[in-house]
Amino acid sequence: MFSTSMVCQQAFPATCNPRCRAFFLLLLQCTAVLALVSAQEPSQTDRWPTLTGKPPLVIARGGFSGLFPDSSSIAFDLARQLSLPNVHVWCDVQLTKDGVGICAQGVKLENATDIATGYEKRSSVYQVNKVPTRGWFSVDFTYKELASLVSVTQGVYSRTNRFDNHGFAIITVDYLAKEIKPPGLWLNIQYDAFFTQHNLSMTTFVLSVSKRMKVDYISSPEVAFLTSIASGFKPTKTKLVFRFLGRNEIEPSTSQTYGSLLKNLTFVKTFASGILVPKDYIWPVDATLYLQPHTSIVADAHKAGLEVFASDFVNDIPISYNYSHDPILEYLSFVNNADFSVDGVLSDFPMTASAAIACFAHDLSRKASSQVKPLIISKYGASGDYPGCTDLAYNKAIADGAEVIDCPVQLAKDGTPFCLSSENLTENAIVPKDVGGIFSFNLAWNQIQTLIPIIANPSAKFKMFRNPKFQNAGKFITLSDFLALSKNAKSLTGVLINIENARGVRVADAVNEVLIKAGFDKQTSLKVMIQSSNSLVLMKFKGKSNYECVYKANGSIADGSDSTIKNIKKFADSVVVTKDFIFPELSAFITNTTDIVPKLHAEKLPVYVETFSNEFVTQSWDFYSDATVEINTFVQVAKVDGIITDFPYTAARYKRNRCLGVGKKLPPYMQPITPGSLYQFAENR
């Protein structure tokens, strides 16, 4: 039996310096590693609609390259630690001047290393796919030269560069296989023709390396290369995969477009066991970023006896609006639809891919029982998909699994209470200039109900938008209609009425009148939650047996003093805080965990947290651009009692995922992050 210390030591690559080792201790919490060794895998008894009937593979492109520099030892090791037990790591192979195979993101090393700093005057111009290209190329350097002065860096400029300059060396294929020891090894040979021009043979390299280690997959976009090595490999040991590039790009050895080759899969089968295609070959998107009907490529390839792997999965680039900015939904459309499953996915974020396959695939019914307790509370309905506070937003929130739906109350000129996030109508609707004002109190309800709603786009400055096709869909509703809708929704457990209007006390009186008229003061089937940052408003409802008074906390609660919390207890039954009250951030990294939740719980005050959104730009780097990881951490680490979200489906699906039902043996891809660990590592430069 392995000791905990032995397991921890094996987690560290030999090139991992003391700062790197400290990071792994923080992030992976080695005291729990033993519990993760037998991590949950996808069901092997259920037959998957893959070619073999086995679960799809997760292939980690350059390791966990969505966070750390591509092909760094830390990226490869993190992929191994936080993914499915059979994860395959992807190495883009380049050859050095002395024939050493290294893992590097592209043929131009300056795109993802600091080589231009160490060897400033050694750039060259070479033909790459018949195009004159200037750059720093591995063929001009021995491995010793690269190892001595060059470090890998983040090659995607929209990602954090805070982990650059940590001295992550370029690693060799041999080092990856023998020291990091991934469960599966996938070598991608992108530029065989280029290296041949420089008298370096990729054929010789892969044949040689396969004698020293187990290579599970070799892929290439060049037919000539794959045909040249086909006789040297048995498909039962090493599978060859033909990589398709853009449909109109030319495959160099056949001079055909990849789109043309796609029509001749029987030819591909003569030299390959599978194909790797961009994901839009399978699920095309139109010019407006909406999905089109899926193609028949998976069925056609399976019929020809070819496995199908899909590429280009990332969490931090806008995806089709059909997925509501949720990367897990995208994965599920490739592995869990009624017609097919791909045989594997190539991802920069293997943790998300692993969770999608193991925790959420295979008929995760909306009727499945919840595995964790926090309430799912909508934010203006499902306002991530439809204009907030409209009939469509509320109906979708209910259908998506929200347990409590919310109505922020405003008063019309005629005194009608209705649901809208602000009394400034222009924030939520198109207001004609001739209607007599822009505030709710300027217009009667019969005028307000004719306004055209506008969907909120809180991440618009990052060019991330919400469901443009339905940006003006739906109708605003009165508080009375909201309560009637709630009564008819059998799945709801409560309603939340938010009173933040400047005329709070008057609004509270109007709300109370509508509640009584609708019978909510006497019914017990739905909990009534009254939320406000105004204690006077809450005092009007405090003590009523059917109502829960929810205090929207402001900055004064941040110190968590006993007197402050005891004072809240006088007028509130629970508290709403924003995410940073629990996990403060600096430069988009979580710095620590506060004690605000334990202090509120000590006074028997439940804590609800807002606002959880799917857009990756709303999340700290710690959450790997994955809304589910964020929710999971707040639930498991912070022990919050409620999640307030504009995408209720994501949170409701999280509560039902099968990986939460295994007690303390949570698989690594469903483990919460360790708050503050990335920040400490990034700061220790």
Side-chain angles (χ1 to χ4, degrees):
M1 180 178 290
F2 291 101
S3 70
T4 303
S5 61
M6 289 172 64
V7 176
C8 291
Q9 288 168 6
Q10 290 179 359
F12 299 131
T15 58
C16 196
N17 61 31
R19 290 177 300 184
C20 171
R21 292 172 183 266
F23 168 67
F24 270 99
L25 285 170
L26 285 164
L27 184 65
L28 299 177
Q29 295 180 318
C30 281
T31 54
V33 168
L34 288 175
L36 306 182
V37 172
S38 59
Q40 177 175 329
E41 295 187 66
S43 172
Q44 300 289 339
T45 56
D46 294 334
R47 183 170 177 84
W48 292 69
T50 55
L51 182 65
T52 63
K54 295 179 180 180
L57 279 180
V58 172
I59 306 114
R61 194 190 68 83
F64 207 129
S65 56
L67 181 65
F68 289 108
D70 188 299
S71 300
S72 61
S73 58
I74 196 171
F76 282 128
D77 210 20
L78 192 62
R80 182 173 66 87
Q81 296 284 350
L82 299 183
S83 306
L84 287 169
N86 68 334
V87 65
H88 284 47
V89 299
W90 165 286
C91 167
D92 270 306
V93 182
Q94 319 298 331
L95 293 179
T96 63
K97 187 177 182 178
D98 49 347
V100 176
I102 61 172
C103 299
Q105 184 176 345
V107 70
K108 294 178 61 179
L109 296 182
E110 73 272 19
N111 289 342
T113 74
D114 60 2
I115 192 170
T117 301
Y119 295 104
E120 182 179 357
K121 297 180 179 180
R122 290 182 61 179
S123 65
S124 302
V125 177
Y126 292 128
Q127 293 281 327
V128 180
N129 293 336
K130 300 180 181 180
V131 178
T133 305
R134 176 174 289 280
W136 281 258
F137 299 90
S138 61
V139 296
D140 291 329
F141 301 87
T142 65
Y143 177 65
K144 184 176 181 180
E145 287 179 302
L146 295 178
S148 63
L149 282 180
V150 180
S151 300
V152 291
T153 58
Q154 181 55 259
V156 179
Y157 300 132
S158 59
R159 295 172 179 167
T160 180
N161 65 354
R162 297 291 290 277
F163 306 116
D164 295 353
N165 302 322
H166 275 70
F168 297 125
I170 292 177
I171 66 173
T172 66
V173 174
D174 286 79
Y175 178 88
L176 172 60
K178 295 177 181 178
E179 300 296 332
I180 297 180
K181 299 178 181 178
L185 180 60
W186 186 307
L187 302 181
N188 181 58
I189 313 301
Q190 195 77 3
Y191 298 102
D192 173 61
F194 171 77
F195 289 104
T196 300
Q197 294 168 16
H198 294 270
N199 299 315
L200 291 165
S201 173
M202 276 292 187
T203 299
T204 300
F205 172 77
V206 297
L207 290 173
S208 172
V209 80
S210 66
K211 295 176 182 178
R212 303 193 300 272
M213 66 191 69
K214 186 177 187 298
V215 179
D216 298 275
Y217 290 88
I218 298 174
S219 60
S220 177
E222 298 181 11
V223 171
F225 172 72
L226 292 175
T227 54
S228 72
I229 66 171
S231 61
F233 293 95
K234 294 181 179 180
T236 54
K237 182 179 179 182
T238 300
K239 295 182 179 181
L240 305 185
V241 177
F242 181 49
R243 185 180 191 183
F244 283 80
L245 304 181
R247 290 178 182 270
N248 296 322
E249 291 187 54
I250 303 295
E251 193 284 317
S253 52
T254 63
S255 298
Q256 296 184 52
T257 65
Y258 287 98
S260 175
L261 287 169
L262 189 64
K263 299 174 183 177
N264 195 358
L265 293 177
T266 54
F267 167 64
V268 175
K269 179 61 177 173
T270 64
F271 59 85
S273 300
I275 59 175
L276 172 64
V277 298
K279 62 187 180 183
D280 61 4
Y281 271 46
I282 299 170
W283 281 105
V285 295
D286 62 20
T288 62
L289 217 58
Y290 283 92
L291 286 179
Q292 301 300 292
H294 68 73
T295 67
S296 63
I297 182 174
V298 178
D300 295 343
H302 283 174
K303 186 176 180 181
L306 292 163
E307 290 184 296
V308 182
F309 302 93
S311 65
D312 303 336
F313 288 92
V314 294
N315 292 3
D316 55 356
I317 292 178
I319 54 180
S320 169
Y321 293 117
N322 298 76
Y323 301 128
S324 299
H325 300 287
D326 179 0
I328 286 180
L329 269 184
E330 181 180 39
Y331 284 113
L332 292 177
S333 73
F334 285 83
V335 303
N336 195 52
N337 67 71
D339 299 320
F340 65 85
S341 171
V342 297
D343 299 275
V345 292
L346 177 61
S347 173
D348 291 16
F349 293 85
M351 183 179 180
T352 301
S354 297
I357 293 168
C359 304
F360 296 102
H362 271 187
D363 303 320
L364 182 62
S365 170
R366 297 190 185 192
K367 295 181 181 179
S369 60
S370 295
Q371 303 293 329
V372 287
K373 294 182 179 180
L375 278 176
I376 307 302
I377 305 170
S378 75
K379 184 75 170 180
Y380 316 142
S383 57
D385 293 304
Y386 292 106
C389 301
T390 61
D391 55 345
L392 292 181
Y394 287 126
N395 279 306
K396 189 168 194 308
I398 294 168
D400 284 351
E403 294 157 306
V404 175
I405 58 173
D406 68 308
C407 172
V409 178
Q410 312 299 334
L411 288 184
K413 184 178 181 179
D414 57 7
T416 303
F418 66 99
C419 303
L420 202 64
S421 64
S422 170
E423 62 183 356
N424 184 344
L425 300 172
T426 62
E427 294 181 12
N428 301 276
I430 299 173
V431 181
K433 293 181 179 179
D434 59 354
V435 297
I438 64 170
F439 294 98
S440 60
F441 50 78
N442 296 135
L443 305 181
W445 169 245
N446 63 358
Q447 295 174 291
I448 292 171
Q449 67 182 339
T450 65
L451 299 179
I452 298 173
I454 299 174
I455 199 167
N457 286 298
S459 300
K461 67 179 181 180
F462 300 104
K463 306 298 182 185
M464 296 191 73
F465 302 97
R466 294 177 169 178
N467 206 5
K469 279 188 178 180
F470 296 91
Q471 63 181 330
N472 301 121
K475 299 290 184 183
F476 296 124
I477 63 175
T478 64
L479 176 59
S480 295
D481 291 336
F482 170 84
L483 295 175
L485 174 67
S486 303
K487 269 189 175 180
N488 292 329
K490 304 302 182 184
S491 61
L492 291 179
T493 62
V495 294
L496 185 149
I497 298 172
N498 189 350
I499 304 174
E500 292 297 342
N501 192 290
R503 299 173 292 161
V505 175
R506 181 185 171 193
V507 173
D509 290 336
V511 166
N512 192 40
E513 183 178 334
V514 173
L515 286 169
I516 292 171
K517 187 174 182 180
F520 272 72
D521 59 327
K522 297 177 182 178
Q523 62 85 43
T524 57
S525 58
L526 287 175
K527 178 190 291 187
V528 177
M529 304 167 73
I530 306 294
Q531 176 182 317
S532 182
S533 59
N534 187 335
S535 60
L536 295 177
V537 168
L538 295 179
M539 287 300 292
K540 294 184 73 68
F541 297 92
K542 181 69 173 173
K544 296 186 178 181
S545 59
N546 294 334
Y547 296 167
E548 176 182 334
C549 293
V550 185
Y551 176 58
K552 172 64 184 297
N554 54 34
S556 64
I557 200 179
D559 63 354
S561 67
D562 292 342
S563 60
T564 299
I565 292 174
K566 289 184 182 298
N567 186 55
I568 292 172
K569 184 81 171 176
K570 295 177 182 178
F571 55 82
D573 306 301
S574 56
V575 178
V576 168
V577 298
T578 54
K579 294 185 292 187
D580 60 332
F581 274 65
I582 298 172
F583 297 137
E585 290 184 12
L586 184 63
S587 301
F589 286 95
I590 293 174
T591 57
N592 64 290
T593 304
T594 70
D595 60 358
I596 191 67
V597 175
K599 285 188 173 183
L600 290 167
H601 280 173
E603 292 296 327
K604 297 185 172 13
L605 290 167
V607 181
Y608 311 128
V609 185
E610 64 177 11
T611 302
F612 290 84
S613 300
N614 284 358
E615 291 96 340
F616 67 88
V617 294
T618 68
Q619 302 147 16
S620 75
W621 297 113
D622 304 68
F623 299 126
Y624 312 136
S625 302
D626 184 340
T628 298
V629 175
E630 181 181 43
I631 293 169
N632 187 41
T633 301
F634 274 87
V635 171
Q636 294 201 52
V637 175
K639 309 297 184 185
V640 301
D641 302 283
I643 299 292
I644 301 174
T645 174
D646 34 22
F647 292 92
Y649 180 78
T650 303
R653 182 194 60 206
Y654 160 75
K655 286 184 63 173
R656 301 190 308 272
N657 94 74
R658 65 175 62 88
C659 291
L660 293 176
V662 294
K664 294 182 179 180
K665 294 185 178 180
L666 281 175
Y669 37 83
M670 196 46 64
Q671 287 282 329
I673 63 99
T674 305
S677 59
L678 279 182
Y679 176 75
Q680 291 181 43
F681 184 59
E683 287 299 296
N684 190 17
R685 300 178 65 165

